[in-house]
Amino acid sequence: LRTLTLGMVLPIGGSPAFREFAAALAEGIEVAATTYLEGVAVTLEARDDQGDPSLAAAMVAELERASALGAVGFLEDGALDAAAARRTGALPLVSPTARAAVGEGVYTLSGADPLAAAAMARYAARQGFKRVAMLHSTSPESREEADAFASALAPAGIPVVARLAYDPSATFFQEQIFGAREALRGEDIRAGRRAPGDTLGAEAWDPVALFVPVPPEDVELLAPQLTFYGLDTLGIRILGTSGWTDEQTLAIVDIRHTDGVVATAPAGGGRTSAGYERFREAYERHFQRTLVGSTPALGYDAAVLLLEAARSGARTPTQLRAAVERIRTLEGATGTFSVLGGRVVRHSALVRIEHGILLPTG
């Protein structure tokens, strides 16, 4: 019987909010370790970093000494960065939630998705928008998606007439929204002698769009303000990335603020997908209880990335990392993944949000 060791570094003893989330992720990781690879005995070396990056780094050193092939966890960027910097070898690290992954053999399932942003730009070109504006965070991930959108849109000859950014800590976006409204509809409003809130005749104006590549927590704040300041009444289409189609976002944000938004969503994800169903059955067999909530599925997928690579027979962290880099079209519980250019990429689909439901764009 082949054996291998994986590390799991989570803030089990951190803040109360993190504790519950980390415990749910740990359940998913445990399910992956015990059920994903037949004929392989996987030992989980669990460590508690208490939400402290310096502890996360120390835990990685321990896992290297314990001959782990790879490690999962490191929920925040600081923990992932510190752990990566502390490695003395090639130990691959996978985070389910960090926004950025810096360094070779460092991966996250929740980073920027420039391929999805480029797909949205191609959609915009097919729709024949006459001009587009962008509204995004100054975070590196949001900027990267905005850059990818602009680059993919350029060959279509559609001008990006404004690029408006806000600090990640912002909660009020009036200045940026007014800037987008002016860039996209200012001339139309003045030429038609209509007030910004007057919808009469807006359907006859040139089609325009605002691309908003922001994370779920920003969508919760920003979407109601886009409605409040009347962008929908001016025929300005909202385009987005996966922050708009996040399950929790759709549950929290009132449908009137997301109806009609076209965004990207993970292909092969969702609770009706085959990958999620396989995970649910494995979870309920393992724990002998009903799965409640989708958080464990994210932990499962982070571990599965390493376990799928381990099918190659890798016996060292260097071999495992090389196998991770070869992964293509891996169907997990939360979506389908490939590793391209050292980055985990989710396969995406274009959807339109209607009454909180994701519909194919057709």
Side-chain angles (χ1 to χ4, degrees):
L1 181 67
R2 183 185 167 206
T3 62
L4 64 87
T5 299
L6 288 184
M8 179 174 71
V9 180
L10 292 170
I12 299 298
S15 69
F18 251 20
R19 254 197 313 265
E20 184 176 348
F21 185 67
L25 289 170
E27 288 184 347
I29 294 167
E30 181 179 330
V31 171
T34 55
T35 68
Y36 190 74
L37 289 180
E38 293 184 5
V40 178
V42 179
T43 299
L44 270 182
E45 287 281 346
R47 299 289 189 276
D48 178 9
D49 66 11
Q50 300 178 35
D52 183 339
S54 64
L55 280 179
M59 300 305 170
V60 161
E62 289 185 14
L63 292 172
E64 287 185 315
R65 290 194 293 271
S67 299
L69 278 187
V72 182
F74 318 102
L75 300 191
E76 296 188 295
D77 289 8
L80 186 60
D81 290 346
R86 183 65 178 271
R87 294 175 303 175
T88 59
L91 189 75
L93 309 177
V94 181
S95 170
T97 53
R99 296 294 188 197
V102 179
E104 293 184 359
V106 184
Y107 310 96
T108 178
L109 304 189
S110 300
D113 193 345
L115 296 184
M120 185 55 65
R122 292 190 290 272
Y123 169 84
R126 293 195 299 272
Q127 293 298 300
F129 292 116
K130 299 302 182 184
R131 52 193 177 275
V132 172
M134 297 192 294
L135 172 57
H136 60 85
S137 163
T138 57
S139 71
E141 300 74 44
S142 191
R143 283 186 178 278
E144 184 177 1
E145 291 184 349
D147 289 343
F149 178 89
S151 294
L153 191 65
I158 299 172
V160 175
V161 293
R163 181 165 177 165
L164 304 132
Y166 61 86
D167 187 89
S169 63
T171 58
F172 192 52
F173 309 97
Q174 181 188 57
E175 179 183 349
Q176 291 84 2
I177 294 171
F178 278 8
R181 193 174 71 178
E182 171 62 26
L184 292 170
R185 286 302 192 209
E187 291 185 10
D188 290 322
I189 293 168
R190 287 186 288 275
R193 297 183 177 84
R194 296 183 180 90
D198 184 0
T199 61
L200 182 62
E203 67 275 5
W205 293 343
D206 287 341
V208 299
L210 176 64
F211 179 55
V212 190
V214 300
E217 59 270 22
D218 288 9
V219 173
E220 294 172 19
L221 297 170
L222 183 54
Q225 295 182 45
L226 293 174
T227 304
F228 179 80
Y229 290 115
L231 267 63
D232 56 333
T233 68
L234 295 171
I236 296 173
R237 295 284 302 280
I238 305 299
L239 310 178
T241 46
S242 59
W244 289 85
T245 56
D246 178 81
E247 184 176 335
Q248 184 175 356
T249 300
L250 294 174
I252 292 174
V253 179
D254 192 284
I255 60 173
R256 70 180 183 274
H257 305 312
T258 58
D259 269 3
V261 172
V262 175
T264 57
R271 299 194 184 194
T272 60
S273 70
Y276 188 88
E277 183 62 19
R278 282 194 298 272
F279 162 68
R280 184 192 63 77
E281 291 177 356
Y283 179 99
E284 295 181 354
R285 264 196 322 270
H286 179 70
F287 287 112
Q288 293 295 296
R289 65 173 183 264
T290 301
L291 173 63
V292 178
S294 57
T295 300
L298 193 57
Y300 176 86
D301 280 355
V304 159
L305 190 76
L306 294 178
L307 293 169
E308 180 64 26
R311 287 189 192 278
S312 66
R315 296 190 177 278
T316 68
T318 299
Q319 292 172 352
L320 187 68
R321 191 167 85 184
V324 169
E325 297 286 339
R326 295 193 293 269
I327 287 177
R328 301 291 185 272
T329 319
L330 171 62
E331 186 178 36
T334 64
T336 301
F337 303 90
S338 293
V339 179
L340 303 172
R343 171 189 300 215
V344 179
V345 174
R346 285 180 185 268
H347 296 215
S348 297
L350 296 176
V351 299
R352 186 179 74 258
I353 307 172
E354 295 293 347
H355 302 292
I357 299 171
L358 306 182
L359 303 174
T361 59

PDB file of all heavy atoms in Angstrom, residues 20 113 126 151 194 219 237 318 321:
ATOM      1  N   GLU A  20     -14.656  28.766  12.691  1.00  0.00           N
ATOM      2  CA  GLU A  20     -15.757  28.016  12.075  1.00  0.00           C
ATOM      3  C   GLU A  20     -15.473  27.752  10.597  1.00  0.00           C
ATOM      4  O   GLU A  20     -15.692  26.649  10.094  1.00  0.00           O
ATOM      5  CB  GLU A  20     -17.064  28.784  12.243  1.00  0.00           C
ATOM      6  CG  GLU A  20     -18.282  28.053  11.722  1.00  0.00           C
ATOM      7  CD  GLU A  20     -19.571  28.799  11.991  1.00  0.00           C
ATOM      8  OE1 GLU A  20     -19.562  29.774  12.774  1.00  0.00           O
ATOM      9  OE2 GLU A  20     -20.603  28.415  11.396  1.00  0.00           O
ATOM     10  N   ASP A 113      -8.478  36.095 -12.260  1.00  0.00           N
ATOM     11  CA  ASP A 113      -8.782  35.208 -13.389  1.00  0.00           C
ATOM     12  C   ASP A 113      -8.765  36.017 -14.685  1.00  0.00           C
ATOM     13  O   ASP A 113      -9.810  36.420 -15.201  1.00  0.00           O
ATOM     14  CB  ASP A 113     -10.144  34.550 -13.188  1.00  0.00           C
ATOM     15  CG  ASP A 113     -10.376  33.392 -14.149  1.00  0.00           C
ATOM     16  OD1 ASP A 113      -9.627  33.279 -15.149  1.00  0.00           O
ATOM     17  OD2 ASP A 113     -11.303  32.597 -13.920  1.00  0.00           O
ATOM     18  N   ARG A 126     -18.729  41.055 -29.186  1.00  0.00           N
ATOM     19  CA  ARG A 126     -19.835  40.434 -29.930  1.00  0.00           C
ATOM     20  C   ARG A 126     -21.130  41.222 -29.760  1.00  0.00           C
ATOM     21  O   ARG A 126     -21.967  41.255 -30.680  1.00  0.00           O
ATOM     22  CB  ARG A 126     -20.046  38.992 -29.477  1.00  0.00           C
ATOM     23  CG  ARG A 126     -18.909  38.041 -29.822  1.00  0.00           C
ATOM     24  CD  ARG A 126     -19.338  36.596 -29.672  1.00  0.00           C
ATOM     25  NE  ARG A 126     -19.747  36.263 -28.307  1.00  0.00           N
ATOM     26  CZ  ARG A 126     -18.929  35.854 -27.355  1.00  0.00           C
ATOM     27  NH1 ARG A 126     -17.627  35.758 -27.608  1.00  0.00           N
ATOM     28  NH2 ARG A 126     -19.392  35.547 -26.152  1.00  0.00           N
ATOM     29  N   SER A 151      -7.000  44.591 -22.718  1.00  0.00           N
ATOM     30  CA  SER A 151      -6.141  44.046 -23.775  1.00  0.00           C
ATOM     31  C   SER A 151      -6.946  43.215 -24.765  1.00  0.00           C
ATOM     32  O   SER A 151      -6.727  43.285 -25.979  1.00  0.00           O
ATOM     33  CB  SER A 151      -5.036  43.192 -23.154  1.00  0.00           C
ATOM     34  OG  SER A 151      -4.166  43.986 -22.385  1.00  0.00           O
ATOM     35  N   ARG A 194     -32.128  65.499 -21.100  1.00  0.00           N
ATOM     36  CA  ARG A 194     -32.841  64.695 -20.112  1.00  0.00           C
ATOM     37  C   ARG A 194     -32.038  64.644 -18.822  1.00  0.00           C
ATOM     38  O   ARG A 194     -30.817  64.661 -18.834  1.00  0.00           O
ATOM     39  CB  ARG A 194     -33.056  63.263 -20.622  1.00  0.00           C
ATOM     40  CG  ARG A 194     -33.939  63.194 -21.854  1.00  0.00           C
ATOM     41  CD  ARG A 194     -34.164  61.734 -22.248  1.00  0.00           C
ATOM     42  NE  ARG A 194     -35.012  61.656 -23.429  1.00  0.00           N
ATOM     43  CZ  ARG A 194     -34.560  61.648 -24.675  1.00  0.00           C
ATOM     44  NH1 ARG A 194     -33.263  61.708 -24.889  1.00  0.00           N
ATOM     45  NH2 ARG A 194     -35.399  61.577 -25.681  1.00  0.00           N
ATOM     46  N   VAL A 219     -18.791  43.469  -4.281  1.00  0.00           N
ATOM     47  CA  VAL A 219     -20.076  43.456  -4.987  1.00  0.00           C
ATOM     48  C   VAL A 219     -21.210  43.759  -4.006  1.00  0.00           C
ATOM     49  O   VAL A 219     -22.150  44.508  -4.324  1.00  0.00           O
ATOM     50  CB  VAL A 219     -20.322  42.096  -5.671  1.00  0.00           C
ATOM     51  CG1 VAL A 219     -21.741  42.028  -6.248  1.00  0.00           C
ATOM     52  CG2 VAL A 219     -19.308  41.868  -6.783  1.00  0.00           C
ATOM     53  N   ARG A 237     -25.107  48.705 -19.385  1.00  0.00           N
ATOM     54  CA  ARG A 237     -25.038  47.283 -19.036  1.00  0.00           C
ATOM     55  C   ARG A 237     -23.873  47.047 -18.083  1.00  0.00           C
ATOM     56  O   ARG A 237     -22.781  47.593 -18.279  1.00  0.00           O
ATOM     57  CB  ARG A 237     -24.852  46.423 -20.303  1.00  0.00           C
ATOM     58  CG  ARG A 237     -26.034  46.470 -21.258  1.00  0.00           C
ATOM     59  CD  ARG A 237     -27.191  45.628 -20.765  1.00  0.00           C
ATOM     60  NE  ARG A 237     -26.791  44.239 -20.580  1.00  0.00           N
ATOM     61  CZ  ARG A 237     -26.698  43.351 -21.589  1.00  0.00           C
ATOM     62  NH1 ARG A 237     -26.959  43.704 -22.834  1.00  0.00           N
ATOM     63  NH2 ARG A 237     -26.351  42.104 -21.330  1.00  0.00           N
ATOM     64  N   THR A 318       9.392  18.075  -5.211  1.00  0.00           N
ATOM     65  CA  THR A 318       9.745  18.544  -6.554  1.00  0.00           C
ATOM     66  C   THR A 318       8.956  17.796  -7.616  1.00  0.00           C
ATOM     67  O   THR A 318       8.430  18.397  -8.569  1.00  0.00           O
ATOM     68  CB  THR A 318      11.255  18.366  -6.800  1.00  0.00           C
ATOM     69  OG1 THR A 318      11.981  19.145  -5.854  1.00  0.00           O
ATOM     70  CG2 THR A 318      11.635  18.796  -8.201  1.00  0.00           C
ATOM     71  N   ARG A 321       5.258  18.923  -7.453  1.00  0.00           N
ATOM     72  CA  ARG A 321       5.056  20.240  -8.052  1.00  0.00           C
ATOM     73  C   ARG A 321       5.051  20.155  -9.570  1.00  0.00           C
ATOM     74  O   ARG A 321       4.218  20.801 -10.238  1.00  0.00           O
ATOM     75  CB  ARG A 321       6.151  21.205  -7.582  1.00  0.00           C
ATOM     76  CG  ARG A 321       5.855  22.641  -7.934  1.00  0.00           C
ATOM     77  CD  ARG A 321       6.787  23.562  -7.192  1.00  0.00           C
ATOM     78  NE  ARG A 321       8.057  23.740  -7.895  1.00  0.00           N
ATOM     79  CZ  ARG A 321       9.070  24.435  -7.423  1.00  0.00           C
ATOM     80  NH1 ARG A 321       8.990  24.987  -6.214  1.00  0.00           N
ATOM     81  NH2 ARG A 321      10.183  24.572  -8.112  1.00  0.00           N
TER      82      ARG A 321
END
